[in-house]
């Protein structure tokens, strides 16, 4: 849950990048770390295995400056995508304010995307949150592979698989090239801040 | 596309998956290529190709084994530990020292048991935190220490003057409970706990689909009869009301229509929902040709979900 300091007019919220293993969550954060230098408030911390897979989480603190007189700080996290790290995902989800669901556009990962979305749904439920009410944005990653001859799902199919009922904003993206990364984050922040504003009324005009 | 091109394309696909860290997917493709080559004796350099592919398969297989057996939690840097203490502890602002307790518990949750234990033991001097700290040492300890060693930890506390007789008695009960629970888990054949261990309060969330049938967008049906029997086809759901699903099949899908016989039960059906994927059994309750309108000649099929399995 976001912390709001009314006296100092400061708010800190938590955004979690969720999705199946190897879908590009860490790559999203790495791109943000490299590109949005002005907003980045500290080092990116990654706890990964030898094989470059996220073991616990990645963490990147960013700042948005002042919005309506309130200083906004944001903690960006990723979860480990591999199935066996479910309890770590539950820990990282504690106190989440907004979520980016990163889905893999490769056809062979279709079921993994759906399983991961189900896992998110269940873990949010355990944390007392409802997936339909939590600020959520979809990102269809690895769109750069469309240009190759690799079997990639169409955006329409991914919308149908993952977003037919949730109907949340979605972005085609390529975390390796940066396409769609900023747009995904911006939309997530907008949705999250709007939600928090409603919840806390922290920025009364 | 000739066979050589097909093999080349498949190998490129496998290499892409391997580079992306999708080891199982790469392995599946290499196995398919291996099969393709073995079945065709006219391929040039067949033996050399097979040996290269077999070497790739061996490496990938080893990689998958490494992934399946997550090791102990790694020793974290001070920076990472500080972050975990700061970001994952939920303290009670009214209880002095609770941030130290919360920080140490967070470390334990992320598998940093030895460090957590040291920090928890340092709280034994504070009357209001001692029991909570000791309880956490036992509760997280069972995931990291053999029962004998954990019992030894408790025995050392028995000689520690900071604990009262009542506290020691209560901790003894907690230890017994923790050891019993661990024994039960072992009897039930539960897999070794991956790092970090699940929170103590975690309970398996069952019955989600017993309470409610989620909105289903697509179903994957193994065709029960006909020339395509056993083949799984994905069909869009036209309408759903609870356990009742309606499909509209175009007249061109004759084999599928014929295969779905009224009164038939079909097991192994996959239900795709935007928030879940699950499987179960359906009953074909009705099948009717549409007699008029733009879909004249198409078929409408009603299915009832009889049984849901976990996803």
């Amino acid at each position: 849950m976001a912390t709001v300091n009314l006296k100092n007019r400061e708010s800190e919220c938590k955004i979690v990048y969720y999705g199946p293993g190897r879908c590009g969550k860490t790559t999203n954060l790495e791109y943000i770390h490299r590109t949005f230098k002005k907003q980045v408030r500290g080092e990116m911390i990654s706890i990964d295995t030898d094989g470059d897979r996220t073991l616990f989480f990645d963490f990147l603190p960013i700042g948005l400056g002042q919005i309506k007189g309130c200083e906004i700080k944001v903690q960006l996290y990723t979860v480990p995508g591999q199935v066996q790290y479910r309890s770590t995902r539950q820990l990282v989800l504690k106190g989440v304010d907004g979520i980016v669901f990163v889905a893999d556009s490769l056809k062979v990962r279709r079921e993994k995307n759906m399983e991961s979305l189900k896992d998110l749904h269940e873990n949010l439920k355990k944390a007392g949150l409802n997936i339909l009410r939590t600020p959520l944005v979809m990102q269809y990653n690895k769109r750069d592979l469309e240009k190759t001859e690799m079997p990639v799902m169409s955006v329409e199919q991914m919308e149908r698989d993952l977003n037919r009922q949730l109907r949340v904003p979605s972005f085609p993206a390529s975390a390796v090239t940066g396409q769609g990364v900023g747009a995904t984050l911006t939309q997530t922040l907008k949705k999250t801040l709007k939600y928090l504003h409603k919840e806390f009324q922290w920025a009364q005009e | 596309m000739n066979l050589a091109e097909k093999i080349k394309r498949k190998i490129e696909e496998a290499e892409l998956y391997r580079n992306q860290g999708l080891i199982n997917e790469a392995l599946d493709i290499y196995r398919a290529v291996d099969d393709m080559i073995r079945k065709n004796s006219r391929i040039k350099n067949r033996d050399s190709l097979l040996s290269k592919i077999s070497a790739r398969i061996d490496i990938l297989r080893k990689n998958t084994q490494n992934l399946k057996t997550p090791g102990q939690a790694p020793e974290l840097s001070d920076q990472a530990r500080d972050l975990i203490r700061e970001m994952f502890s939920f303290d009670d602002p009214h209880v002095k020292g609770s941030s130290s307790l919360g920080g140490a518990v967070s470390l334990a949750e992320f598998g940093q048991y030895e460090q957590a234990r040291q920090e928890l033991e340092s709280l034994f001097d504070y009357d209001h935190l001692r029991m909570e700290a000791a309880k956490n040492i036992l509760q997280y300890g069972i995931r990291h220490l053999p029962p004998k060693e954990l019992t030894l930890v408790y025995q050392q506390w028995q000689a520690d003057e900071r604990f009262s007789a009542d506290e020691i008695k209560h901790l003894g009960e907690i230890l017994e409970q923790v050891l019993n629970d661990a024994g039960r888990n072992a009897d039930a054949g539960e897999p070794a706990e991956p790092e970090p261990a699940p929170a103590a309060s975690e309970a398996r969330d069952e019955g989600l689909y017993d309470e409610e049938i989620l909105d289903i967008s697509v179903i994957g049906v193994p065709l029960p009869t006909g020339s395509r029997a056993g083949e799984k086809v994905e069909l869009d759901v036209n309408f759903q009301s609870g356990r009742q699903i309606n499909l509209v099949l175009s007249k061109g899908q004759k084999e599928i229509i014929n295969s779905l016989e009224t009164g038939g039960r079909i097991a192994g059906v996959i239900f795709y929902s935007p928030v879940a994927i699950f499987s179960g059994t359906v009953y074909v309750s009705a099948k009717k040709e549409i007699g008029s309108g733009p879909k004249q000649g198409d078929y409408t099929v009603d299915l009832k979900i009889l049984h849901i399995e976990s996803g």
Side-chain angles (χ1 to χ4, degrees):
Chain A
M1 181 58 77
T3 55
V4 181
N5 186 327
L6 289 171
K7 199 176 157 195
N8 298 339
R9 294 188 71 78
E10 253 185 33
S11 175
E12 188 153 46
C13 62
K14 177 175 181 178
I15 307 286
V16 173
Y17 281 70
Y18 209 96
R22 312 303 291 180
C23 67
K25 301 174 287 292
T26 301
T27 315
N28 261 273
L29 252 62
E30 284 168 346
Y31 181 83
I32 294 165
H33 185 228
R34 273 199 315 271
T35 314
F36 300 98
K37 288 199 167 76
K38 231 173 135 184
Q39 283 77 24
V40 169
R41 290 193 295 121
E43 278 307 299
M44 177 169 162
I45 297 174
S46 290
I47 303 173
D48 53 29
T49 60
D50 293 342
D52 221 18
R53 288 164 191 269
T54 302
L55 181 59
F56 288 160
F57 56 85
D58 304 302
F59 171 76
L60 178 65
I62 61 170
L64 304 183
Q66 290 213 338
I67 298 178
K68 293 185 180 177
C70 195
E71 188 72 27
I72 309 292
K73 294 176 179 174
V74 183
Q75 301 163 0
L76 302 179
Y77 285 89
T78 67
V79 295
Q82 284 178 274
V83 174
Q84 67 262 41
Y85 294 122
R86 188 167 203 226
S87 53
T88 311
R89 287 193 288 279
Q90 289 168 3
L91 285 174
V92 177
L93 269 184
K94 270 186 190 173
V96 68
D97 297 300
I99 295 165
V100 176
F101 185 84
V102 183
D104 194 322
S105 295
L106 282 168
K107 261 188 187 162
V108 285
R109 301 299 281 174
R110 186 179 176 212
E111 288 205 357
K112 297 287 176 202
N113 288 333
M114 294 190 193
E115 283 167 12
S116 179
L117 191 58
K118 180 189 171 199
D119 181 67
L120 171 65
H121 173 66
E122 288 171 354
N123 284 338
L124 284 174
K125 203 174 167 193
K126 276 195 176 128
L129 298 169
N130 183 331
I131 195 167
L132 298 171
R133 282 198 284 275
T134 307
L136 172 69
V137 168
M138 290 271 169
Q139 183 188 78
Y140 305 137
N141 195 21
K142 304 190 188 176
R143 299 312 303 176
D144 52 303
L145 295 175
E146 259 182 326
K147 290 172 201 150
T148 68
E149 287 175 352
M150 294 301 140
V152 169
M153 286 180 276
S154 67
V155 168
E156 291 73 26
Q157 181 176 4
M158 296 184 82
E159 277 285 291
R160 202 181 65 172
D161 283 351
L162 304 167
N163 202 17
R164 189 149 128 178
Q165 262 115 18
L166 290 171
R167 293 178 180 277
V168 296
S170 61
F171 296 89
S174 165
V176 287
T177 66
Q179 177 217 335
V181 173
T184 307
L185 178 61
T186 305
Q187 185 61 39
T188 311
L189 291 169
K190 273 185 190 168
K191 275 196 85 171
T192 305
L193 294 176
K194 201 172 160 188
Y195 174 80
L196 292 175
H197 186 170
K198 209 170 134 194
E199 287 284 299
F200 293 109
Q201 294 294 312
W202 50 261
Q204 307 258 356
E205 284 176 69
Chain B
M1 198 188 300
N2 66 35
L3 187 64
E5 279 171 2
K6 206 172 170 184
I7 289 171
K8 189 176 164 232
R9 185 75 57 82
K10 283 280 170 199
I11 290 174
E12 281 169 3
E13 190 181 339
E15 279 302 291
L16 172 92
Y17 296 153
R18 192 181 64 81
N19 288 333
Q20 300 251 340
L22 302 172
I23 309 298
N24 287 320
E25 286 79 357
L27 197 50
D28 285 347
I29 302 278
Y30 270 120
R31 280 177 178 147
V33 172
D34 183 81
D35 200 38
M36 237 187 256
I37 297 170
R38 280 181 199 284
K39 281 180 183 161
N40 201 316
S41 55
R42 288 176 303 159
I43 295 173
K44 279 185 208 165
N45 307 323
R46 185 170 173 263
D47 290 343
S48 149
L49 258 176
L50 278 174
S51 122
K52 278 178 189 163
I53 284 167
S54 159
R56 270 274 188 261
I57 288 174
D58 280 348
I59 293 169
L60 290 168
R61 207 184 285 139
K62 274 177 198 153
N63 288 346
T64 56
Q65 277 159 4
N66 291 342
L67 291 177
K68 277 178 196 161
T69 50
Q72 289 291 307
E75 189 80 4
L76 297 184
S77 66
D78 289 346
Q79 189 189 25
R81 280 180 185 165
D82 288 346
L83 180 71
I84 288 173
R85 277 193 204 95
E86 191 185 340
M87 298 301 186
F88 292 94
S89 65
F90 291 81
D91 311 316
D92 182 347
H94 304 294
V95 180
K96 197 180 169 192
S98 73
S99 62
S100 305
L101 181 70
V105 169
S106 298
L107 285 178
E109 287 193 326
F110 279 97
Q112 307 300 298
Y113 180 69
E114 275 312 313
Q115 179 68 27
R117 189 175 142 190
Q118 281 175 30
E119 293 183 17
L120 289 167
E121 280 174 350
S122 72
L123 299 174
F124 284 178
D125 289 333
Y126 303 94
D127 290 345
H128 64 296
L129 296 175
R130 185 183 308 119
M131 282 300 282
E132 206 53 40
K135 261 194 262 177
N136 278 294
I137 289 176
L138 294 178
Q139 280 162 351
Y140 286 100
I142 194 64
R143 295 163 190 166
H144 301 271
L145 300 175
K148 266 187 188 168
E149 218 172 298
L150 195 62
T151 307
L152 205 64
V153 170
Y154 169 70
Q155 284 166 352
Q156 282 166 357
W157 294 344
Q158 286 176 315
D160 189 327
E161 286 175 354
R162 288 173 294 184
F163 288 99
S164 69
D166 279 352
E167 285 174 338
I168 287 295
K169 191 180 164 214
H170 186 41
L171 288 171
E173 288 162 3
I174 291 169
L175 174 66
E176 200 182 331
Q177 181 69 46
V178 161
L179 294 175
N180 283 343
D181 288 350
R184 271 200 292 275
N185 288 345
D187 291 345
E190 288 194 1
E193 201 80 59
E195 296 294 349
S201 61
E202 183 181 310
R204 194 168 140 62
D205 182 16
E206 285 175 335
L208 172 68
Y209 305 113
D210 295 332
E211 296 161 14
E212 51 189 289
I213 299 285
L214 296 173
D215 289 336
I216 298 162
S217 339
V218 177
I219 60 169
V221 187
L223 295 178
T225 57
S227 57
R228 291 167 63 185
E231 183 187 331
K232 193 163 272 181
V233 292
E234 289 187 354
L235 304 170
D236 278 347
V237 171
N238 176 51
F239 171 76
Q240 181 196 352
S241 170
R243 287 178 176 265
Q244 304 286 343
I245 293 175
N246 172 262
L247 314 171
V248 173
L249 302 176
S250 76
K251 46 183 169 280
Q253 294 174 294
K254 225 27 183 190
E255 280 178 318
I256 299 173
I257 294 164
N258 291 339
S259 188
L260 302 175
E261 290 169 1
T262 309
R265 287 164 77 103
I266 310 170
V269 175
I270 306 290
F271 305 98
Y272 297 99
S273 147
V275 291
I277 170 171
F278 48 101
S279 59
T281 304
V282 298
Y283 169 76
V284 184
S285 51
K287 181 168 72 173
K288 218 165 64 182
E289 188 177 346
I290 300 171
S292 58
K295 295 203 171 185
Q296 189 175 6
D298 290 350
Y299 277 75
T300 167
V301 178
D302 291 334
L303 304 174
K304 185 175 182 186
I305 302 172
L306 295 178
H307 171 65
I308 296 278
E309 289 155 15
S310 59

